[in-house]
């Protein structure tokens, strides 16, 4: 004997403004970005999410991010890479996390587990251990702050290594002792007497990871 049962409609809850729904999600992104009609940047990421519902709104690169900058002949000048990145579009702030690596065209290498780029203040900073390597020097510390061009930077609890002939005419390498005070690292070191140590630094070029910044 057959009987008729009342059918039930299965519907999902309505999506409202308080839900964190991405406006756009792209996968396998490998795209070129132009500036003033000239291709200058490449962005490569496995997943790119644009989410305006989160507070604050942000772009999310949770599968890694790799950025390249080119010269006019399409040669790679610099690159930035990390495991996770966030761009807070309203704050104009980049946050790079986990295995952050930066290389400039002059050979300066930066590595850390965290790096912020504040486009409004035109500065870079990190609140964790960071390491700078130039073609002939190494500098590291637990706090890093720099202008956007990396011509002036500050390191606290700093230590580094440099060639002894920079101060004493020898080719041996020596290291400085850790310093618990904030030290200003100047582009040009002042010669010191033999036996005294001094911070060392170079003058790297301006690094613009993407064409998204002004």
């Amino acid at each position: 004997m057959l009987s008729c049962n009342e059918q039930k409609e299965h519907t999902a809850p309505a999506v409202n403004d308080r839900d964190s729904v991405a406006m756009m999600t792209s996968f396998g992104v490998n795209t070129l970005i132009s500036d003033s009609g000239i291709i200058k940047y490449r962005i490569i990421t496995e997943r790119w999410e644009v989410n305006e519902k989160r507070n604050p709104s942000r772009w999310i690169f949770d599968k890694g991010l790799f950025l390249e900058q080119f010269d006019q002949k399409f040669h790679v000048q610099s690159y930035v890479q990390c495991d996770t990145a966030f761009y807070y579009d309203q704050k104009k702030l980049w946050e790079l996390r986990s295995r952050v690596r930066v290389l400039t065209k002059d050979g300066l290498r930066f590595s850390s587990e965290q790096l912020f780029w504040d486009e409004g203040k035109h500065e870079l900073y990190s609140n964790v251990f960071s390491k700078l390597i130039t073609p002939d020097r190494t500098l590291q510390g637990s706090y890093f702050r720099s202008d956007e061009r990396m011509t002036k930077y500050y390191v606290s609890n700093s230590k580094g290594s440099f060639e002894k002939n920079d101060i004493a005419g020898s080719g041996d390498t020596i290291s400085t002792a850790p310093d618990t005070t904030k030290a200003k690292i100047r582009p040009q070191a002042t010669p010191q007497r033999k036996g005294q140590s001094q911070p060392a630094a170079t003058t790297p070029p301006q690094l613009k990871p993407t064409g998204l910044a002004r």
Side-chain angles (χ1 to χ4, degrees):
M1 181 176 181
L2 299 176
S3 61
C4 296
N5 295 325
E6 183 180 355
Q7 295 183 350
K8 294 184 179 180
E9 185 177 359
H10 299 280
T11 59
V15 176
N16 50 51
D17 290 340
R18 67 175 179 269
D19 292 322
S20 180
V21 178
M23 183 182 74
M24 181 199 77
T25 303
S26 300
F27 298 91
V29 178
N30 185 343
T31 184
L32 299 173
I33 301 174
S34 62
D35 185 3
S36 301
I38 301 175
I39 295 177
K40 290 188 175 181
Y41 311 101
R42 182 199 302 273
I43 179 171
I44 301 174
T45 182
E46 185 63 30
R47 185 175 184 272
W48 179 0
E49 176 184 325
V50 177
N51 196 312
E52 295 182 345
K53 298 300 181 181
R54 293 200 179 190
N55 186 20
S57 62
R58 68 198 67 179
W59 300 355
I60 303 171
F61 306 88
D62 57 359
K63 301 296 183 181
L65 179 66
F66 183 78
L67 308 171
E68 286 182 317
Q69 181 182 14
F70 305 106
D71 61 14
Q72 293 183 351
K73 295 183 179 180
F74 214 64
H75 298 148
V76 176
Q77 285 188 312
S78 58
Y79 71 75
V80 178
Q81 66 179 27
C82 62
D83 288 347
T84 304
F86 301 94
Y87 178 65
Y88 304 98
D89 54 320
Q90 295 181 352
K91 295 182 176 181
K92 303 298 181 182
L93 177 67
W94 281 93
E95 179 183 359
L96 310 181
R97 295 181 184 177
S98 184
R99 295 192 292 181
V100 181
R101 302 291 185 266
V102 179
L103 173 67
T104 72
K105 67 177 182 179
D106 283 354
L108 184 144
R109 296 178 181 270
F110 173 89
S111 60
S112 182
E113 291 299 305
Q114 175 197 72
L115 181 65
F116 292 92
W117 176 22
D118 191 323
E119 295 179 0
K121 296 181 179 179
H122 303 286
E123 65 180 12
L124 305 167
Y125 61 92
S126 177
N127 299 310
V128 301
F129 177 82
S130 303
K131 188 174 184 180
L132 285 169
I133 302 177
T134 73
D136 54 357
R137 298 181 176 139
T138 299
L139 183 68
Q140 52 193 359
S142 60
Y143 175 79
F144 168 81
R145 184 178 292 272
S146 167
D147 67 332
E148 200 170 46
R149 295 177 177 269
M150 280 192 172
T151 56
K152 297 179 182 178
Y153 31 90
Y154 299 82
V155 179
S156 65
N157 192 25
S158 60
K159 61 181 180 179
S161 65
F162 48 91
E163 294 302 315
K164 191 174 179 180
N165 58 6
D166 289 340
I167 59 175
S170 173
D172 298 331
T173 299
I174 59 177
S175 298
T176 64
D179 182 3
T180 57
T181 62
K182 180 178 289 187
K184 182 176 182 180
I185 309 304
R186 301 181 182 278
Q188 297 296 331
T190 302
Q192 307 247 341
R193 294 182 181 178
K194 184 176 181 179
Q196 293 182 335
S197 61
Q198 59 184 1
T202 59
T203 308
Q206 180 183 15
L207 177 64
K208 292 184 178 179
T210 72
L212 305 173
R214 294 177 296 177

